[in-house]
Each structure stands twice: as C-alpha cells, then as structure tokens.
Amino acid sequence: MSPLSLPQWLALVLPLQTWAADLSSSTRCQQWVYSNSLEDPSLSQDGDVILGGLFPLYMKPVSLDETLTKPPKLPQCQRLHERSVRWAQTMVFAVEEINQNSFLLPGVKLGYRIVDSCAQHPWSLSSALALVSGRNHTCSKVLALIGDAPSTQCIILSRTLGPLGIPLVSYQASCACLSNRREFPNFFRTMPSDYYQARTMAQLTKRFGWTWVGAIAGDNDYGRLAIQAFSEEVKGAGVCLAFFTTLSRKRLEHDVAQAASVVERSSARVILVFAWYTDVETLLLELVRRNVTGRQFLASEAWSTSNKLLQNPTLSNIAQGILGVAIRSAPIPGLEGHLRSLHPSHEPGSTLVRELWGLLFECNPDGQNSTASQLLPPCVGTETLQSMQSIFTDTSQLRITYNIYLAVYAVAHALHSQLSCTGKNTTNGNPHCATTEDLQPRQLLHHLNQVRFTTQLGEEIHIESGDIRAVYDIVSWQDSPDGSMKCLTIGQMEGSDLQLNDSAIVWVGGAKTVPLSVCSEECPPGTRKAVKKGEPICCFDCLPCADGAISNQTGSVECKRCPAEFWSNSHRNECIPREVEFLSFEDTMGITLTTIALSGSGITVAVAVVFLYHRHTPLVKANNSELSFLLLLSLTLCFLCALVFVGRPSEWSCLAQHLFFGISFVLCLSCILVKTIVVLVAFQSARPGVNMMKWFGQAQQRGSVVLFTCVQVFICILWLCLSPPRPHRNTGFQGSKLILECAVGSALGFGSVLGYIGLLAAICFLLAFLARKLPDNFNEAKFISFSMLIFCAVWIAFVPAYVSSPGKYTVAVEIFAILASSFGLLLCIFAPKCYIILLRPESNTKKFLMGKT
C-alpha cells in the first residue's frame, strides 16, 4: 500500500471526524458530500432499500493542491474508463431486472447509489463513507456496498466498515488474505481468491515442465500475496523463481525500466505477471522498445482479457502466445440491449453519459464546447450505440461484468431471505430477520454468509465463508485472420480439475511446441542432479552415475545401485549381468600355468625313471631309494594338484583343491623330514659304540611318513566336515566382473592346513641346517636346507600376495606358490643327483660318496 501525502490524509481525516460527529448527533440530514466523487443522475435511483456501488470510473487523479492555503479535499479524477462504465451500468441493469422479478423481493423496490472510487484508496474510502453515512445528494443510507475492485481498497474498506456491520461484496478483489473471516467478517466476493488463481498458475507451470520462472507483480496486496501463494504452491515441485520485481503506480516509469532490464538479462523464458493491465501495457511497450522477444508470459486475470492490450497493434509480436488465467465468462441476457439503449437524450442531466459519448464518438453532445469536452466538435445528433463496436458495448466475454451481476443478485437473495421472516420468526424472536422499516446492515451479514441461488442460466451460486467456488477460464492470445489479436478460451480450471486443449494453444512467436524455461537442462538417463552451491534447486549440474549404479529416467535425483549380480552398462542407464570371470583353461594365464604344471610333473616322472633305472647304483642306494621314490610320487601329485585349481569352480573341485594340496604337500614334506632324520641318525650311528639305525629302520621310516600324513588327513577331514570350501560368486572385486571362486569356508581350517605344512617345513629346515656340515662328499642335508629355504620363502611371500590379489589372480598366486615350491624341492634335492648319475657317472661310486677319493 502506497503512503498518503499530508493533503490526502487531511482530506480523509477531516470528513471522518465530521462523519463520526454526525452519527452521534440528531441533526437532520443535510445535502453535503465529503468528496468530489461523481454522483451522476444516471447512476442513482431511489428505492425501499438502497445498494451502494463503488467503481473505478475514472483512472487518473489530478494533482493535489499541496500549498495548504485552502480547505483540504480530494479532487475529482479524470480519464473516463469505458469498461468501468459498463460495470456500473451492469449494476443498474441487475437492479432493474430484480425490480421486475415478481418472485425475488416482491413488493420491495431496490435503489442504487453508484460513485467513483478512482481506483485508489483515498477516493474509495471517502466515497464509501459518503454512501454509508447518507451524506449524499438524497440523504439516503445504503444497506450494502458492491465493490470495490482492487484488493487493497477492499482491505481498507472492510476494516473501516466492519465495526458498523456494513456488508461489502466485491466483484474483483482476489487477495487470499480477504478469506480471513476473523479479520474481515463483513467481506464477501463473487471473485475467486488468488489462492486458487496461484494454484492454477502452478498447475500450468508444472504441466508444461517450466522450472525456471520469473515473476513481476504490482506493488500492492494483490500482486505480492499472489506471488507468495504461487511460491508456496510450487514448493517441493522443483519450480524456482528466477527473479521477482514489482511495479508501483507512483514510480511506474522507474519500476518498468528496472523490470524490463531484469527480464532482458534473465535466462527465464516464462514470466508470471500479476499486475493491473495499464501497468502491464507500459511494461510490454518498454520490452518492445528494447526488442526483447522470445518470452512466454503467464497472465493473471487482471490483464489476461484486456481489450486495450489485445487491440494495441504495437504489442502484436510480443503478445502473441500469451497464456492467461481469466475469470470465467458467462452471458447476461438483455445486458447488451440495455447498454446500447443508453443515449444523452434519455439522461439529459448525466455528465457521465455525455463524457462517454464524447469518448466513443469524439464529439460534444451538448452542441457546444464545454469543460468536459472543450476540444470536441458538436455531435450531429445521429450518433447511436446500436451499431457501435466498443469496449463499452462488447458483451462477448463478460467476466468482471458477470461478477458484478452475481454480486447484486447475491445481496438481493440475502435480502429476500432476511425479509422472508414471518409468523413465529419475528424480528424480536430472530435477530437476523427484519422488515423494510427496520432493516439493519448487520442482520444482512448472516444471510450473506449462507446465500445460495440459481442463475437464469442454471448455474448454482453459493457463497460460503465469504468466498465463491473457484472457476477459471484458460485463455490463449492468438492472431486472428484480420490481423488483430484475439483471446481464445482453450481450457477451464474448476476447483483442482484442470482441463486443457493442448492442440489449440499457440505459443510465443506462433510456435506449436511448448517453450523451454529451465535454469539447467534436465539430466539425461545415466546421470543425476547435483545442486550448485548457493543457487536454487532448479540450477544443478548433471553428474554421471558411479560404477554399478544407474538412472534410467530423465531428471533423476539419485542413481540406483544395480542388484548384486548385475552392473551398469557404459551409458549408466541399464543394469546388465556381470561378466563372469574365473581362471579357465582357455585363458592365457590358465594355459601357461597348466603347461608349467604338466611340465613339472613330467620332469618329476623323468627323474623317477632315471632313479628307477639306476636304482642299484651307490648314489641311489645311499639316498634311501624308497623314500626318494615316495618323494617323487608326492612331488608329482603336488604338480598335478595345481590343475584342480584351474577351471570353473564347482562343489567337487573346491573340495578336491585343498584336499589334494594339503595331503600331497604334507606327504612330500614328511618324506623330506624322514630323509633328514635318517641322515642325522646315520651319522650318529657311525660313531663307535652307537647304533641308532636299529631304532629307525625302514619300518619306522614308513610309519613316520604315514603318521605325519595322517595328521594332515585328520585336519582336512575335520575342516571338510565342519565348514568345507564351497563355490562363491564374489561381486566385491573388479567392478563389472563377477568372480567365481572357492571360498575357504573356515578360515581356521584353511589356516590349520597351511600351518601344519609350515610346521613340517620349519622342522625340516632346522634339522637339515644342523646336519649341513656332516662329513661326506654328498651330504643330502645341504640340499634339503636349500630346498626348505626356497619353500619357506615362497610360502611366506604367498600370504600378502594372496590377500592383495583380486579375482582370478588370487587362484593364480596360489598355483604359482604350489609350482614354485614344488620346483624348488625337485631341483634342489634331485638335480645334483641326476647330474652325478647322468653327467658324472665316474663319481657314482661308494668311495667318492664316502669322501675317500
């Protein structure tokens, strides 16, 4: 609400003081008017009950005298407004129609007093006080007021007249704040609340996918509260306001320039405008001057059907495609004939009719220059409204006009209900009933709160808690064949049900496709939204989904993880089965390891053949041929057990892997351990008087090997019975790959198998190390020491490599350890013997072995 200047306040306060004094005095009514508001004979009629009307007949007040040298008063406004005159005449027509109705208010004649509110609150309040106090030319008080148009004026009027119980029925005030019955108990309206208009705008915004919207509003309750309601309605729907700027009547030129600059710079292509049509016209003309195009405007009901804007050819380029919310339209039978019958000769004392005549026909009906039309030529007398096409006579789309018609009928039906109290329901028995002699405005409030009636067109009207059921038309501005702009109804919003004919919409610039207005393009499938820091949620970056996650919809807020055995494709928009991986015989690595294992087993068999062929030679005999053959057999099994680790894991292969591995290596180490013990015992028995070999003969050697091996067999059986290894589909490694592997089942069981192997290897190494310096040309303990050293080094390095290797490489590391340790044993223990047997046969003698040559 704009502040009042000192003369304006004085012009308001002084009449208020006089008005309050008159209400408390018993002085007779005098002909005195608080303001210079027009009270024209054509807008006044006596009756049993008088209704007041406030309409913005003139739009521009003249400058106030701020010298404070004369008594303050509000000057009369200028620039007659055709549409407002039609509104006033609609009230006149409705009252006359009711007076002719034998069923509604029979025997009661309605009268009216219609004055100008100048579309500003000082004039509106001054005129309203003149009507309700009876301080007018006829000294008659009004029972109810029809008006005013703007929300700000209605807020002031309701608060001022509320303590007096004067009903106020507005035909255009749409501020949602006026629905507060505690604060505005005397306010009613035939215009839906802006809450529903904002909800309609929000539904349109969401329907067409506009998430980046600019907002321009009048600097008043209507504009600011409408934008606030819109913001609350779209909250949580992903719609953001790119900017919000206001237009004030008092600094319109400055505000329009600022708003145009904001629109020009903003990336928003959809602009929501809640403002009066005259202010919007100034804004659009400024945008045309700056050549700002490509903006889709969403128009509020205050300007969505303005003929003045539609008929302005300068705005044709920028206005084409405007989408608006409009008050529902309905025909009023007989109104057009009433409007066209108006003539200065029928209203000889009416200044208003003469000014309207001069405005429409550009002539002076008085036949001479006058103050009202000092520059117009005299009329010829043949002018008539019967064939005249103008805003005043246009009844093709009656919107606010229809609201005024309903407002008059709502008061009439409420008054009819109030006067219908007879018999038991007397005035004393029921405080809400009355007769024409003692009608009180406060009594009428009760009946207005529950008024319900049906119009001539069959529409049921119900005012509940001061508000009417919300019905809006959705309109589109389009070019007509004659080159002018027309407003075409393309849908309707009733309650929360939006019905729209999308094919009938023509968008900005005549396009048939919905314009795009977003801060950031919607994220495509395979990406997710990431809000930019410090910016609205509508402004975001599109980040690719992480590996293993997808988004298969446009505009996804988050990416969804794929199921365990699935992985995201390269576009991150679909989950596909993981690539199954295991160490197979077709892999290069699998082929290499298989070849090495077979080669190792082949070499071992070859060594066994050599030993078998030379089994009677001193070297073979001296090295315990029985244990050597058993050791070669176990080494062959060690090489061959590596093959069980290659191929697709299954129940039997997982069991066989660790069973063969554990038993074959323990058998191998048992043989080496017994051979080492034999070396030690043999050298101890070589001393005089000591014969320990009788306690550790062939039977004891075989028994020791069997005993050491049975311990491992027992551990393996216990492991396989309690928690055996099983095939496992490992999804924790290698991203898109699914690793087929053998889970060890019990880590304790697996550790026990390896620990027992390590224990035997450590004992072998310790004993061989102690026997390394025993005298002999061919001391086998030296070679066992080297073989155990290699064996231990391989398996110590195996542990960290096994833990850190991913996927199928875990299996490869285990096979490599098996083959490396097997080759170490084979080469260190048997390579020197084969060298003597095959390449140095002359050394294969007992004397050489005893160190005597």
Side-chain angles (χ1 to χ4, degrees):
M1 187 189 306
S2 57
L4 296 178
S5 63
L6 179 61
Q8 287 177 327
W9 274 115
L10 290 174
L12 269 177
V13 172
L14 293 179
L16 278 172
Q17 293 175 341
T18 307
W19 171 65
D22 286 343
L23 287 178
S24 59
S25 66
S26 58
T27 57
R28 65 180 181 86
C29 178
Q30 298 177 1
Q31 193 179 85
W32 186 78
V33 184
Y34 289 121
S35 72
N36 285 349
S37 296
L38 173 69
E39 187 160 338
D40 194 272
S42 65
L43 301 178
S44 178
Q45 177 179 287
D46 292 329
D48 300 323
V49 179
I50 306 297
L51 302 182
L54 289 172
F55 298 96
L57 301 174
Y58 295 88
M59 297 300 294
K60 184 178 180 181
V62 297
S63 300
L64 291 173
D65 180 13
E66 299 184 358
T67 61
L68 301 180
T69 58
K70 299 178 181 178
K73 66 177 181 179
L74 293 174
Q76 193 165 332
C77 296
Q78 297 176 342
R79 281 182 60 185
L80 185 66
H81 192 229
E82 291 181 56
R83 190 168 68 155
S84 297
V85 178
R86 185 182 68 202
W87 294 352
Q89 286 297 321
T90 300
M91 180 176 176
V92 173
F93 171 78
V95 170
E96 292 177 353
E97 191 176 66
I98 292 170
N99 287 336
Q100 296 172 8
N101 191 327
S102 58
F103 299 98
L104 183 60
L105 293 175
V108 178
K109 180 183 179 182
L110 285 182
Y112 52 84
R113 297 284 183 270
I114 300 175
V115 295
D116 177 30
S117 66
C118 202
Q120 296 199 35
H121 41 274
W123 285 260
S124 176
L125 180 58
S126 177
S127 298
L129 294 178
L131 290 174
V132 300
S133 65
R135 289 297 186 176
N136 49 56
H137 293 296
T138 59
C139 296
S140 55
K141 299 179 182 180
V142 299
L143 186 67
L145 283 177
I146 306 298
D148 197 355
S151 297
T152 301
Q153 278 85 303
C154 288
I155 292 172
I156 296 173
L157 292 177
S158 180
R159 286 174 175 166
T160 304
L161 304 179
L164 303 176
I166 306 294
L168 185 69
V169 186
S170 176
Y171 47 85
Q172 196 177 10
S174 55
C175 178
C177 60
L178 288 165
S179 296
N180 187 339
R181 300 309 291 166
R182 181 182 298 273
E183 191 172 355
F184 306 104
N186 65 323
F187 179 79
F188 304 87
R189 55 183 165 190
T190 54
M191 173 80 174
S193 166
D194 276 336
Y195 167 76
Y196 299 101
Q197 181 177 196
R199 188 166 69 176
T200 303
M201 292 281 200
Q203 285 207 28
L204 289 172
T205 301
K206 290 183 281 189
R207 180 187 180 102
F208 296 116
W210 297 324
T211 59
W212 193 235
V213 180
I216 300 174
D219 190 15
N220 49 37
D221 296 301
Y222 167 75
R224 290 185 177 274
L225 294 178
I227 297 299
Q228 179 182 340
F230 174 83
S231 300
E232 292 174 355
E233 189 65 25
V234 298
K235 187 182 297 181
V239 180
C240 306
L241 287 182
F243 60 85
F244 172 52
T245 184
T246 58
L247 304 178
S248 172
R249 290 268 181 90
K250 292 188 176 297
R251 53 179 187 277
L252 187 59
E253 185 176 346
H254 171 270
D255 287 358
V256 162
Q258 184 178 17
S261 298
V262 172
V263 171
E264 191 174 15
R265 292 193 306 266
S266 175
S267 60
R269 288 298 177 264
V270 174
I271 314 297
L272 179 67
V273 183
F274 272 93
W276 190 243
Y277 76 95
T278 53
D279 302 337
V280 174
E281 181 182 29
T282 307
L283 172 65
L284 294 180
L285 288 173
E286 177 63 18
L287 291 175
V288 170
R289 189 187 69 80
R290 298 186 181 208
N291 196 27
V292 178
T293 58
R295 304 305 193 274
Q296 175 67 53
F297 290 95
L298 279 181
S300 68
E301 42 76 27
W303 66 280
S304 62
T305 57
S306 170
N307 285 324
K308 186 176 182 182
L309 298 181
L310 287 166
Q311 295 172 4
N312 190 336
T314 309
L315 304 177
S316 59
N317 289 334
I318 197 172
Q320 185 182 20
I322 287 177
L323 195 66
V325 175
I327 305 164
R328 52 82 188 273
S329 64
I332 302 178
L335 177 62
E336 185 177 5
H338 170 80
L339 296 176
R340 293 189 180 278
S341 65
L342 201 65
H343 197 277
S345 61
H346 302 158
E347 304 287 347
S350 173
T351 304
L352 182 70
V353 175
R354 291 198 304 272
E355 286 195 41
L356 177 66
W357 217 255
L359 182 64
L360 295 178
F361 297 102
E362 297 183 352
C363 67
N364 184 1
D366 294 335
Q368 57 184 358
N369 291 340
S370 66
T371 304
S373 306
Q374 53 183 334
L375 300 178
L376 298 178
C379 295
V380 297
T382 58
E383 294 83 3
T384 177
L385 293 176
Q386 295 300 323
S387 59
M388 180 69 175
Q389 298 299 325
S390 67
I391 295 176
F392 175 74
T393 58
D394 182 14
T395 58
S396 59
Q397 292 189 4
L398 301 177
R399 302 183 188 275
I400 300 296
T401 305
Y402 186 62
N403 285 352
I404 296 168
Y405 184 76
L406 292 180
V408 176
Y409 265 87
V411 174
H413 279 276
L415 184 60
H416 182 87
S417 176
Q418 184 179 7
L419 296 175
S420 297
C421 298
T422 57
K424 295 181 180 180
N425 294 327
T426 61
T427 301
N428 295 329
N430 189 340
H432 301 306
C433 297
T435 61
T436 54
E437 287 76 17
D438 59 358
L439 279 173
Q440 296 298 323
R442 196 177 299 275
Q443 296 173 334
L444 188 61
L445 291 176
H446 170 75
H447 298 276
L448 274 172
N449 271 311
Q450 51 190 357
V451 68
R452 186 188 297 267
F453 62 95
T454 303
T455 66
Q456 298 180 34
L457 302 176
E459 181 183 4
E460 185 175 342
I461 303 299
H462 180 210
I463 296 180
E464 184 177 5
S465 298
D467 283 327
I468 196 172
R469 181 172 57 96
V471 180
Y472 290 102
D473 287 340
I474 310 300
V475 297
S476 174
W477 289 23
Q478 302 178 13
D479 286 333
S480 58
D482 60 2
S484 62
M485 196 72 67
K486 64 178 179 179
C487 183
L488 182 65
T489 301
I490 47 93
Q492 190 175 68
M493 179 78 171
E494 185 169 355
S496 59
D497 182 25
L498 176 61
Q499 297 178 350
L500 207 60
N501 182 9
D502 293 324
S503 61
I505 302 177
V506 174
W507 299 103
V508 57
K512 285 294 184 180
T513 57
V514 180
L516 187 66
S517 184
V518 295
C519 180
S520 301
E521 294 283 350
E522 284 290 356
C523 293
T527 61
R528 66 174 179 86
K529 293 180 179 179
V531 178
K532 296 180 180 179
K533 188 176 181 180
E535 296 191 24
I537 60 172
C538 302
C539 302
F540 48 82
D541 294 319
C542 295
L543 301 182
C545 292
D547 289 341
I550 66 162
S551 64
N552 53 11
Q553 294 180 344
T554 301
S556 295
V557 178
E558 59 182 13
C559 299
K560 298 179 181 178
R561 297 294 303 179
C562 289
E565 296 194 3
F566 290 81
W567 198 253
S568 56
N569 61 0
S570 59
H571 299 293
R572 306 289 196 276
N573 61 359
E574 184 181 4
C575 288
I576 58 177
R578 292 182 184 236
E579 178 187 348
V580 178
E581 183 181 76
F582 57 91
L583 187 62
S584 69
F585 289 102
E586 289 78 17
D587 286 344
T588 303
M589 186 181 299
I591 294 173
T592 303
L593 294 174
T594 301
T595 303
I596 296 173
L598 292 175
S599 300
S601 61
I603 295 172
T604 307
V605 171
V607 172
V609 171
V610 171
F611 266 57
L612 183 61
Y613 184 77
H614 298 89
R615 64 184 179 279
H616 300 296
T617 62
L619 182 61
V620 175
K621 289 180 178 181
N623 284 280
N624 199 331
S625 59
E626 184 177 344
L627 284 178
S628 295
F629 282 115
L630 188 57
L631 179 56
L632 289 170
L633 174 63
S634 63
L635 284 173
T636 304
L637 293 177
C638 288
F639 280 115
L640 293 178
C641 81
L643 300 178
V644 185
F645 287 84
V646 183
R648 190 183 188 93
S650 61
E651 292 284 348
W652 74 266
S653 66
C654 289
L655 294 174
Q657 284 176 9
H658 298 90
L659 184 64
F660 290 169
F661 162 72
I663 295 176
S664 60
F665 264 89
V666 166
L667 178 61
C668 177
L669 292 174
S670 298
C671 293
I672 296 173
L673 179 59
V674 171
K675 284 173 71 67
T676 307
I677 294 174
V678 168
V679 171
L680 287 173
V681 171
F683 276 96
Q684 290 294 328
S685 298
R687 291 184 296 172
V690 180
N691 186 15
M692 296 182 64
M693 286 301 298
K694 66 180 181 179
W695 303 106
F696 202 71
Q698 293 292 331
Q700 288 81 2
Q701 295 174 19
R702 297 189 195 101
S704 298
V705 171
V706 172
L707 177 63
F708 294 149
T709 306
C710 285
V711 174
Q712 183 74 309
V713 172
F714 175 75
I715 294 174
C716 288
I717 292 174
L718 193 64
W719 175 23
L720 298 181
C721 290
L722 296 179
S723 181
R726 295 186 182 278
H728 174 61
R729 304 170 75 87
N730 190 344
T731 60
F733 296 100
Q734 295 293 319
S736 62
K737 295 181 180 180
L738 182 128
I739 309 300
L740 291 182
E741 59 186 11
C742 289
V744 296
S746 171
L748 179 61
F750 183 55
S752 299
V753 169
L754 292 180
Y756 185 64
I757 294 173
L759 177 63
L760 291 180
I763 295 173
C764 287
F765 176 71
L766 180 61
L767 293 179
F769 183 77
L770 293 175
R772 72 188 187 282
K773 293 184 179 181
L774 292 177
D776 197 346
N777 274 349
F778 199 83
N779 185 357
E780 194 174 20
K782 296 179 182 178
F783 305 112
I784 293 175
S785 298
F786 281 116
S787 66
M788 287 300 101
L789 188 62
I790 295 173
F791 185 91
C792 292
V794 168
W795 285 101
I796 290 173
F798 159 78
V799 175
Y802 181 85
V803 172
S804 61
S805 297
K808 65 181 180 181
Y809 297 101
T810 304
V811 181
V813 167
E814 190 169 0
I815 295 174
F816 176 79
I818 292 172
L819 296 178
S821 57
S822 299
F823 272 111
L825 294 175
L826 178 64
L827 295 176
C828 289
I829 295 175
F830 291 100
K833 298 179 177 65
C834 291
Y835 174 76
I836 296 296
I837 293 172
L838 298 177
L839 300 179
R840 297 286 299 275
E842 68 278 6
S843 300
N844 192 0
T845 63
K846 188 175 181 180
K847 290 182 179 182
F848 178 79
L849 296 177
M850 296 298 291
K852 295 179 179 179
T853 59

